[in-house]
Amino acid sequence: PSLAAGDIIRLAGQGNAIAEFEAKTGVSVQNDLMAPFGSEIVLAVDGPMLPIPSWKLIVGVHDPARVVSTIERLVAAVNRDHPGAQIGFASETAGGRTYWIITNPKKLFEAHFTFDGGFMIAAPSRDLIERALQYQDTGYSLPRSQAFRDLLPRDGYTNFSGMTYYAVGSVIRPFAQQTLTPEQQKALAAA
């Protein structure tokens, strides 16, 4: 990621904007924002979209301490340059694990994160992170889901660098049960 960021900055010709950002925040885009991360990333929405989306972000991390330090400096810079923002950044320990929380006073956004096995796991609540860690511990994962595996190519070539998978039924089902007639629900189930 660090080398890719350097290439993108050079190709885009955004050196001045990047230099200004780095001077204001004290954060190096290439060394602080990109270097601590690996090349593996997963973003999942696993649950309801409303009122708060149940997203999870898992990113490979080589240097967790640098990630925390960089976020801390970015939050301080935002709070310094935008006094009304007052973004919060704190940590808490639960079950022998440290969690960090990014909040704002209006509760428009909240993110929790922790590190495990070379990855940063982030979500809008600690509960979602703990559930993701439990899934990992028990082997409950997307590649083991038969519904997912049924969608993979039959030729055996399942190595790919990116994909999108969306199980729309689990999102639509609660709305359908509340708004559709029994006949419409049967037709939807048969489709």
Side-chain angles (χ1 to χ4, degrees):
S2 178
L3 295 174
D7 290 344
I8 291 168
I9 291 166
R10 279 190 294 284
L11 288 172
Q14 299 296 318
N16 290 339
I18 299 297
E20 183 180 323
F21 168 81
E22 290 177 342
K24 273 184 149 181
T25 62
V27 171
S28 165
V29 170
Q30 195 165 359
N31 297 323
D32 294 325
L33 280 179
M34 302 306 287
F37 292 101
S39 58
E40 297 177 323
I41 183 170
V42 173
L43 175 63
V45 178
D46 183 18
M49 291 296 292
L50 297 172
I52 298 171
S54 296
W55 57 268
K56 293 179 190 112
L57 176 68
I58 298 98
V59 184
V61 174
H62 303 297
D63 189 348
R66 186 183 284 180
V67 171
V68 171
S69 171
T70 299
I71 292 171
E72 193 170 41
R73 286 184 283 153
L74 287 170
V75 167
V78 167
N79 288 339
R80 181 186 63 243
D81 295 342
H82 305 283
Q86 293 310 302
I87 305 297
F89 186 60
S91 66
E92 63 185 16
T93 302
R97 180 182 300 279
T98 302
Y99 296 86
W100 288 267
I101 305 104
I102 304 168
T103 60
N104 69 18
K106 296 180 182 176
K107 296 289 184 193
L108 298 175
F109 177 81
E110 184 168 306
H112 298 243
F113 68 93
T114 192
F115 300 96
D116 185 69
F119 291 91
M120 179 175 90
I121 302 100
S125 71
R126 192 176 84 206
D127 180 56
L128 286 172
I129 293 172
E130 289 171 348
R131 195 171 327 147
L133 293 168
Q134 287 173 346
Y135 290 162
Q136 173 65 26
D137 290 345
T138 61
Y140 180 77
S141 64
L142 188 59
R144 293 185 181 185
S145 161
Q146 190 59 48
F148 171 75
R149 293 170 56 153
D150 289 344
L151 297 172
L152 293 174
R154 302 280 183 235
D155 60 8
Y157 294 103
T158 57
N159 295 327
F160 38 83
S161 60
M163 62 168 269
T164 300
Y165 172 73
Y166 189 66
V168 71
S170 63
V171 175
I172 293 176
R173 191 171 294 112
F175 295 113
Q177 290 173 341
Q178 294 176 2
T179 59
L180 298 178
T181 66
E183 294 81 22
Q184 292 170 322
Q185 289 179 27
K186 286 180 187 176
L188 182 62

